[in-house]
Amino acid sequence: MSTTARSQDLFARAQRVTPGGVNSPVRAFQAVGGTPRFIHSAKGAILTDVDGNEYVDMIGSWGPMILGHAHPQVLDAVQRAAARGFSFGTPGENEVVLAEEIVARVAPVEQVRLVNSGTEATMSAIRLARGFTGRSKIVKFAGCYHGHVDALLAAAGSGLATFALPDSPGVTGAESGDTIVVDYNDQDALRAVFAEHGPQIAAVITEACPGNMGIVPPLDGFTQLIRRLTREAGALMISDEVMTGFRVSDTGWYGYESARDGYPDGPADLFTFGKVMGGGFPAAAFGGRADVMGHLAPAGPVYQAGTLSGNPVATAAGIETLRLTRETDVYTHLEAAADRLRPEISAALSAAGVAHTIQSAGSMFSVFFTRGTDGRVRNYEDARGQDSAAYSAFFTSMLESGVHLPPSAFEVWFLSLAHTPEVLDRVVEALPKAARAAAAAQGSAASATADRGGLA
Ligand SMILES: *Cc1c(COP(=O)(O)O)cnc(C)c1O
């Protein structure tokens, strides 16, 4: 077996100076066991760690690297931008170009504000919704992740439609107490919440298509019901497209679903974006109806700001990445790659007798190590029925075969333009052995610590 000595050494050093040795919890491998690989470089679909081991990358930085790593044209755009200066603290042309691109792609988005992370985007969208409506309550869905915003680190209390409890120490009851957590895809529960609290609800925030508990698509009519109920109650609908935006289609989930089902009651009022639109750099955005966005400072009274917001280098990466998604027809490529992998994964797991369900949002898919309810994972409770020991064994075998899956069973497998048929062959070849490892581990008590699915 290949050595991981340098990763182990770095992880030991990291743990001395950084809590848990990482700067975002899922990276620590707690859900799968073992030592996280410290990456030295990445090119196309391949990660190379500090010990010189190569892996097919199925994380893609959790979504941004849709063109593959260090795409030459994006690299060139970044280098040219950096040569002109790193940050000005005054306006620049790139900010206008990136905003225009988002507004041109996503029809309901008339104005955007650029920020640095998806967390900032959802946090600011919620503040804006509260400022616009003059109301305080926010509805979110269990298992949907919107970054580590205090008000959204909330877990459902017991019983239907109770007010949320803090989901992390450090979040106060006051911060989570205006949040109502509802099971995803539960139409009756959502109706009940609006019947009881409608006039106090500022907004419902939802992942456009949930991907942070694994992919759990909205069942027929669910998105449309959110829209109808918010409109009737005078509340806003916030569609969080940080993960899906510009990844499932060039207009994100909005374009994907509206082309398929239509939105008879109209689109969301506000949208949040991140990941792909930053091309691997810290850039994110929130936007939507001009009359709502007009409440944002300095046009209006709702405060929001950022020293590095609209950073010239980050926006250069985003602009070039978005431009290339069109030029390369990346969405067709990704869907073909997903169409190749999904049946291979399913066949390998079935042959080994491993219970699983694969669910998709366009080319984004996730492999649940559970059959769900009647073969379908509809909500967080279904997703949490996963066999984490089986996933851990599967993940570890794939890693040893040179395929770096997400180190949590609750995450999406991300593809890129650089995932060519030859790269996918390497994934397919590793599957049978990993499936047998998963079968052997099935049902055994997970050695890994509890996986807080979705909390990246
Ligand atoms: C990743 C993600 C976020 C948070 O974005 P960060 O840049 O990590 O703060 C918010 N919402 C969704 C749907 C995400 O997938």
Side-chain angles (χ1 to χ4, degrees):
M1 206 195 90
S2 54
T3 177
T4 57
R6 288 188 181 176
S7 278
Q8 288 179 38
D9 180 51
L10 279 172
F11 195 39
R13 280 169 55 196
Q15 283 172 299
R16 286 196 281 276
V17 290
T18 300
V22 292
N23 288 303
S24 200
V26 73
R27 299 180 194 170
F29 274 28
Q30 286 193 353
V32 291
T35 304
R37 302 306 193 259
F38 283 66
I39 301 306
H40 173 261
S41 59
K43 177 79 190 139
I46 305 299
L47 302 171
T48 303
D49 72 14
V50 288
D51 292 287
N53 304 304
E54 290 191 352
Y55 307 92
V56 175
D57 180 20
M58 298 301 295
I59 301 178
S61 189
W62 305 100
M65 309 320 302
I66 191 169
L67 304 172
H69 293 281
H71 188 284
Q73 282 161 275
V74 181
L75 180 61
D76 184 55
V78 165
Q79 286 173 334
R80 278 186 287 117
R84 293 196 303 270
F86 306 156
S87 179
F88 310 130
T90 61
E93 182 176 1
N94 278 357
E95 301 167 66
V96 185
V97 174
L98 185 54
E100 284 173 345
E101 178 67 20
I102 294 169
V103 166
R105 284 186 183 220
V106 190
V109 174
E110 296 171 317
Q111 291 199 325
V112 292
R113 169 66 53 85
L114 300 183
V115 294
N116 304 287
S117 70
T119 295
E120 257 186 87
T122 60
M123 177 185 79
S124 305
I126 280 173
R127 182 183 308 140
L128 178 58
R130 285 172 163 160
F132 179 79
T133 59
R135 302 172 177 185
S136 56
K137 300 204 185 309
I138 299 291
V139 178
K140 84 168 289 272
F141 298 103
C144 282
Y145 178 70
H146 306 288
H148 59 98
V149 179
D150 283 317
L152 300 177
L153 287 181
S158 58
L160 185 70
T162 49
F163 285 99
L165 305 170
D167 200 27
S168 164
V171 176
T172 66
E175 283 156 342
S176 68
D178 275 330
T179 305
I180 303 171
V181 181
V182 178
D183 278 340
Y184 194 68
N185 276 327
D186 189 337
Q187 297 204 4
D188 290 341
L190 190 62
R191 282 196 199 92
V193 163
F194 271 89
E196 196 176 343
H197 306 288
Q200 292 130 25
I201 295 172
V204 176
I205 185 167
T206 184
E207 281 190 67
C209 174
N212 282 291
M213 50 179 146
I215 298 278
V216 178
L219 296 178
D220 284 348
F222 190 66
T223 306
Q224 291 77 1
L225 181 69
I226 299 172
R227 174 66 288 183
R228 190 162 57 74
L229 291 174
T230 46
R231 176 151 292 157
E232 285 169 3
L236 298 185
M237 174 175 172
I238 304 170
S239 183
D240 182 352
E241 294 236 29
V242 171
M243 185 185 286
T244 49
F246 319 118
R247 180 164 267 280
V248 297
S249 81
D250 66 351
T251 47
W253 181 261
Y254 166 75
Y256 185 86
E257 196 183 37
S258 62
R260 200 185 56 187
D261 304 344
Y263 289 119
D265 296 299
D269 303 293
L270 293 175
F271 292 74
T272 54
F273 305 102
K275 298 196 168 106
V276 169
M277 66 156 281
F281 284 77
F286 64 103
R289 278 167 48 188
D291 62 322
V292 179
M293 292 301 287
H295 276 61
L296 210 55
V302 178
Y303 192 70
Q304 195 280 331
T307 301
L308 298 177
S309 294
N311 176 270
V313 184
T315 48
I319 292 164
E320 188 62 9
T321 297
L322 291 181
R323 197 184 67 75
L324 284 165
T325 60
R326 287 238 164 103
E327 198 169 276
T328 59
D329 198 15
V330 64
Y331 304 104
T332 308
H333 174 94
L334 296 187
E335 284 183 18
D339 285 344
R340 162 102 198 276
L341 277 190
R342 282 180 298 231
E344 297 279 6
I345 297 163
S346 195
L349 291 172
S350 296
V354 179
H356 66 280
T357 309
I358 299 180
Q359 295 189 168
S360 304
S363 69
M364 298 196 329
F365 67 88
S366 64
V367 183
F368 293 99
F369 280 62
T370 173
R371 289 213 169 81
T373 301
D374 304 327
R376 184 138 77 166
V377 177
R378 306 151 307 163
N379 54 32
Y380 192 38
E381 200 184 312
D382 283 351
R384 293 208 319 180
Q386 295 199 83
D387 186 332
S388 55
Y391 184 73
S392 170
F394 184 80
F395 170 88
T396 303
S397 173
M398 292 295 282
L399 192 68
E400 284 169 1
S401 297
V403 179
H404 203 315
L405 299 179
S408 159
F410 292 84
E411 304 287 356
V412 170
W413 296 29
F414 288 102
L415 293 161
S416 81
L417 190 63
H419 285 71
T420 58
E422 299 71 46
V423 169
L424 298 180
D425 285 345
R426 290 164 68 172
V427 180
V428 170
E429 279 159 26
L431 289 169
K433 188 176 168 195
R436 288 193 297 274
Q442 251 180 147
S444 65
S447 58
T449 55
D451 190 330
R452 311 182 68 213
L455 292 182

